[in-house]
Amino acid sequence: MSRGHIEVVLHESRLLTDNPLGDPSVRELGVYLPPGYDASQARYPTVLVLPGYTGTGLGLVARSAWQLPLDRRMDQLVLDGRAQPAILVLPDCFTRYGGSQYVDSPAVGRYASYLCDEIIPFVDARFRTTGRRGVIGKSSGGYGALHLAMTRPDLFCAAASHAGDCAFDISYRRELPIVAARIDAAGGLARYLARFEAADSRSSADIEAMSIVCCAAAWSPSPSNSAYGFGLGFELPMELRTGALRPDVWARWLAADPLHLVVQHADALRGLSLLFLDAGRSDEYALQLGARQLSDALTAHSIPHMHEEFEGGHRHTAHRYDRSLALVTNAL
């Protein structure tokens, strides 16, 4: 079987230099080159693949039991004729908070600009690309795929979101009081973050709490001297002592919700060659309901798209990349 291969290259970012969290500006970038790349001078479309919260691009090609890594999936899809050969770009947008939501935020860093204005030109200059690009992501990466498709139609002409963060009123709001109680019990946010970073291991509950911190840093940044800025440059959307919702901050989260961005970016979405959504029917964060709401909003605004559901939850769904890679590469 003819196989593609992964090249791991170092990229030094200008945009991530002096980011507020002190995260590295030099990062490993994984690039999958399809079967036949080295034997020809052909050019290939590019697909940016965004992992979920706590993930990195190279994590998508890690070898594990009973699970095909992304590069082997792509090899098989190309061999079977289901997908067209393409270059897959696997970035690292990990931060001290576990991720970036793939947006530009003064509390985290300029990760949307990093991908669009540094990584894409870097890949185009180093590899034989066509200039036709798609973006695929899961969970937080699915949110990132939707966000980039909406805001950078100059770069992307196809997008796929696997259980992407959406409909925050049902997917995030119910977590807020639980996370508030956990942070409050630690003595406040600064102490909680210090304890989290010093820990030898981290519970699933702590990672869930940190995901809310990450989202707050992405979607509700604020001056560090704000009453609720904790000196960290962002605001949480709930009171820590009571868990009560802070409507002003929550409104900022909703303004970042893909469900509420459809109207603003309808023209960009209509211009896509493909827009694909899916989620498991048993998604633990009710993101299948979010995808249904988003699909309804897209339909209401005459935006062509595909929407599917499958048996399963939020985790262990890498097999769904078989579907998105086939659709996106054929659309390109």
Side-chain angles (χ1 to χ4, degrees):
M1 171 183 172
S2 177
R3 287 185 169 180
H5 63 278
I6 300 290
E7 287 200 10
V8 180
V9 294
L10 286 179
H11 175 266
E12 183 171 2
S13 170
R14 174 181 56 83
L15 293 173
L16 297 185
T17 301
D18 299 325
N19 67 82
L21 299 182
D23 288 314
S25 60
V26 178
R27 305 205 173 202
E28 290 184 327
L29 176 70
V31 180
Y32 166 87
L33 301 175
Y37 182 90
D38 292 334
S40 76
Q41 290 302 309
R43 291 186 173 274
Y44 298 88
T46 307
V47 181
L48 185 66
V49 186
L50 306 179
Y53 179 68
T54 75
T56 65
L58 288 175
L60 295 172
V61 295
R63 274 47 181 166
S64 59
W66 304 300
Q67 182 66 62
L68 276 178
L70 191 71
D71 55 326
R72 294 295 171 253
R73 287 188 181 281
M74 188 60 176
D75 285 346
Q76 192 65 53
L77 289 167
V78 172
L79 179 68
D80 294 346
R82 288 182 286 165
Q84 299 300 315
I87 295 171
L88 306 184
V89 181
L90 314 174
D92 174 10
C93 293
F94 187 80
T95 73
R96 287 177 65 188
Y97 295 155
S100 65
Q101 296 302 107
Y102 304 100
V103 302
D104 288 349
S105 166
V108 182
R110 298 180 62 190
Y111 284 89
S113 295
Y114 165 67
L115 292 172
C116 294
D117 299 331
E118 289 193 329
I119 292 300
I120 286 176
F122 176 78
V123 170
D124 285 347
R126 192 178 181 109
F127 301 96
R128 299 194 309 274
T129 64
T130 63
R132 293 277 291 175
R133 302 180 196 88
V135 57
I136 294 173
K138 179 197 169 183
S139 192
S140 291
Y143 174 87
L146 292 170
H147 173 74
L148 293 181
M150 289 178 177
T151 59
R152 295 301 302 264
D154 57 316
L155 294 180
F156 300 101
C157 52
S161 171
H162 297 295
D165 297 355
C166 183
F168 297 170
D169 270 321
I170 57 174
S171 60
Y172 273 118
R173 185 168 176 174
R174 60 183 181 169
E175 297 181 37
L176 299 182
I178 299 170
V179 170
R182 191 165 192 84
I183 294 175
D184 185 62
L189 183 57
R191 289 186 178 181
Y192 179 80
L193 292 175
R195 189 189 73 181
F196 183 93
E197 292 195 339
D200 293 325
S201 63
R202 295 159 183 86
S203 69
S204 59
D206 277 328
I207 293 172
E208 296 286 354
M210 187 58 76
S211 75
I212 296 296
V213 170
C214 175
C215 289
W219 297 328
S220 49
S222 69
S224 58
N225 61 357
S226 162
Y228 290 92
F230 303 103
L232 298 168
F234 64 89
E235 299 182 80
L236 292 171
M238 71 289 192
E239 302 282 357
L240 292 184
R241 187 179 70 84
T242 65
L245 193 70
R246 297 183 59 221
D248 57 332
V249 180
W250 184 242
R252 298 176 66 191
W253 281 47
L254 293 182
D257 188 336
L259 188 60
H260 299 280
L261 290 172
V262 167
V263 176
Q264 182 180 346
H265 298 288
D267 287 343
L269 294 173
R270 288 192 197 100
L272 294 173
S273 300
L274 172 85
L275 176 57
F276 175 75
L277 315 172
D278 79 356
R281 293 189 182 92
S282 304
D283 191 282
E284 292 84 349
Y285 305 100
L287 286 166
Q288 79 276 27
L289 304 183
R292 292 174 192 174
Q293 290 192 31
L294 182 57
S295 178
D296 287 349
L298 293 168
T299 299
H301 290 87
S302 302
I303 298 170
H305 67 285
M306 298 176 64
H307 172 225
E308 295 180 357
E309 293 185 358
F310 57 92
E311 295 302 325
H314 194 73
R315 300 173 181 85
H316 311 298
T317 61
H319 61 281
R320 294 299 296 175
Y321 286 120
D322 291 357
R323 183 69 170 139
S324 60
L325 286 169
L327 289 169
V328 168
T329 58
N330 278 288
L332 295 177

